[in-house]
Amino acid sequence: MNILRKLEVEDSEGKSYSQTFLTNEDLSPVPREKQTWKHRNFVAFWIADSFNVNTWMIASSMIQAGLSWWQAWICVWIGYGVVAPFIVLNARPGAIFHITFPVVARTSFGLYGSLWCTFNRGAMACVWYGVQASIGGTCMFVMLRAMWPGINNIPNGLPDSAGITSKEMLAFFLFWFISLPAIWFPVHQIRHLFTLKAMITPIAGLIFFVWCIVKAKGVGPIIRQPGTMHGSELGWGMVMNLMSCISNMATLLTNAPDFASRAHTPSAALYPQLFSVPLTFSIVSFIGIIVSSSSQAIYGEAIWSPIDLLNMFLDDQPSHGTRFGVWFIAFAFVIAQIGTNISANSVSAGCDLTSLVPRFINIRRGGYIAAIVGYCILPWKLLASSNGFVSYLSAYSVFLSSIAGVMVTEYYFIRKGHYRMKDLYDTRKDGWYWYTYGINFRAYTAYIAGILINVVGFAGATGRTVPVAATRIYEMSFFTGFGTSMVIYLLLNWAFPVPGGIGEKSVSFEEVDVSGVWDSAGHGQAKGSDSESGTGNAELDEVGDGGSLTKDGDDFKEE
């Protein structure tokens, strides 16, 4: 028992069992002093998140499939331009009430029903952490090779079944190890990492861009290469590729409240994200297209991976200037991969795992669990042994889009911005989010419906033969999953109303906490507002939704 007590998070002492199952410091509303993310921080966040190896190569598969470079670039613009408003929509509850994704999920799926959603997202974050760390290991190897060319001659002491060589294992471990300190910092402080990355990586990208054009004496042949798709094939090809851009963002879309909960004002999580997402991802993909096109003029073939291209620059006894240039660009990619892993996976896994066992796990501990799991799954072996592994991870977005569809519908259409913050941390049977034994079966019915419409096409994406119609539906999986879950959830709430929902009474949309004074760990929490004066710790009043609140013991009740 003493060992268990030592493992508890700091603020669990003195709380009841039900309280330790529902809350800790990282699940409670973020206090005002930690609402530090301003407009520039969200811009820096997306600059940092967009600059990575995956975004650099995102247009490669489109061009190889038969699109011209400009058709592929249009797909990137449209795809990320379409997904940006959905990110903003799902981030809004976090920006207003300063709560993370696991707590926002309770409003729609129930206090206990939300645990499956957070486990789902947390498990995927752990897997993706390993995958991104494996890519980061290749960046680290190039950086080390630029400094010490002899590292390329390290003999391999590992068997072929390991799926990795000794020198690659060394680079992976070093990347994994230097990533650990970044996990230590709390979310409201980690914004400085993204600011650093937003300064270094664009400079490195621009240097790489100009270097390749000069070396190739032009932009290369891909810019003049026409597309091979025409007619309906071209139409569906563009749809499929722009949808792949949307699917790639499904994870960040789902847990958008995690970072928005630290927003200094609601608009900080609105306009910067709305415009930064399509702009930053499009610019990085454009640089990737031009660099790869230039590589074809230099080497006679298009080298889509920037890491492979940098490795080729180090062949044949490069000059000291070339080695330094490669080192700096590889260093920027290392920083880029660390930032991407923190933003998309470490923080997400930390928030999600915290909700599963809040008595023993907080965001920091959850982030380290993700790092350990990411190592233990041997991600290099997964990537080497299955060509469809990354495709499977991306296809998994169909499950996340259904979750997002339910969450957005709950906030904007069912309860129209009205929250009862106290009920998010209380197992009272008359609480808004207790539903049926803590599970909202309306949400789960809608969630499953959003999956079922895409499940046949999902099987096709993992390698099985399926009808063309199922493939077409799956190619639109984000919208079919999101839309189906949204419609079903709306209908079920009309048929089986919930307290405070659309079926109970007619209310206008207003972002407000109707539970009265909310107090967690001594912090007064505002009732919610769309004003720009901040919503974390404003003056408290006891006016509910259309009525007054009176204190009854330790609770507030409406009159």
Side-chain angles (χ1 to χ4, degrees), residues 172-307:
F172 173 84
F173 177 78
L174 286 175
F175 177 86
W176 181 87
F177 184 75
I178 66 172
S179 299
L180 298 181
I183 300 175
W184 179 265
F185 294 97
V187 179
H188 69 282
Q189 293 180 355
I190 199 64
R191 70 190 191 281
H192 300 307
L193 171 64
F194 303 130
T195 301
L196 174 66
K197 180 181 171 182
M199 292 188 292
I200 293 176
T201 53
I203 295 173
L206 184 61
I207 291 173
F208 202 4
F209 178 78
V210 174
W211 190 7
C212 288
I213 292 176
V214 172
K215 196 177 182 69
K217 297 181 174 63
V219 293
I222 291 179
I223 296 300
R224 298 181 295 273
Q225 177 180 303
T228 59
M229 290 184 176
H230 304 283
S232 62
E233 182 187 13
L234 173 61
W236 275 109
M238 293 190 70
V239 168
M240 181 178 65
N241 284 301
L242 70 87
M243 290 302 302
S244 70
C245 296
I246 296 174
S247 297
N248 286 339
M249 296 294 287
T251 51
L252 282 170
L253 185 158
T254 305
N255 67 287
D258 289 343
F259 290 101
S261 64
R262 270 69 182 175
H264 188 67
T265 61
S267 67
L270 175 58
Y271 299 110
Q273 301 197 97
L274 191 63
F275 297 112
S276 295
V277 171
L279 183 62
T280 56
F281 281 86
S282 298
I283 291 175
V284 173
S285 67
F286 177 76
I287 294 174
I289 291 171
I290 299 301
V291 169
S292 299
S293 180
S294 300
S295 71
Q296 186 167 337
I298 300 170
Y299 295 105
E301 61 175 327
I303 311 300
W304 291 104
S305 169
I307 305 307

Side-chain angles (χ1 to χ4, degrees), residues 345-357:
N345 302 315
S346 172
V347 172
S348 302
C351 291
D352 297 336
L353 297 178
T354 295
S355 72
L356 300 179
V357 195

Side-chain angles (χ1 to χ4, degrees), residues 402-479:
S402 297
I403 293 175
V406 171
M407 291 173 61
V408 169
T409 307
E410 166 71 24
Y411 186 74
Y412 291 96
F413 299 102
I414 304 304
R415 293 200 174 92
K416 299 182 179 180
H418 291 68
Y419 264 36
R420 291 189 69 170
M421 295 293 291
K422 291 189 69 173
D423 290 353
L424 287 169
Y425 303 91
D426 198 328
T427 57
R428 288 175 9 200
K429 303 303 183 287
D430 60 343
W432 274 16
Y433 313 114
W434 178 248
Y435 296 110
T436 305
Y437 299 105
I439 302 173
N440 185 6
F441 292 102
R442 304 164 192 79
Y444 269 95
T445 302
Y447 164 67
I448 293 171
I451 294 173
L452 289 179
I453 195 171
N454 290 299
V455 71
V456 177
F458 173 76
T462 57
R464 292 172 176 78
T465 303
V466 298
V468 175
T471 301
R472 297 303 188 206
I473 291 173
Y474 178 72
E475 287 171 354
M476 301 285 290
S477 60
F478 177 81
F479 291 112

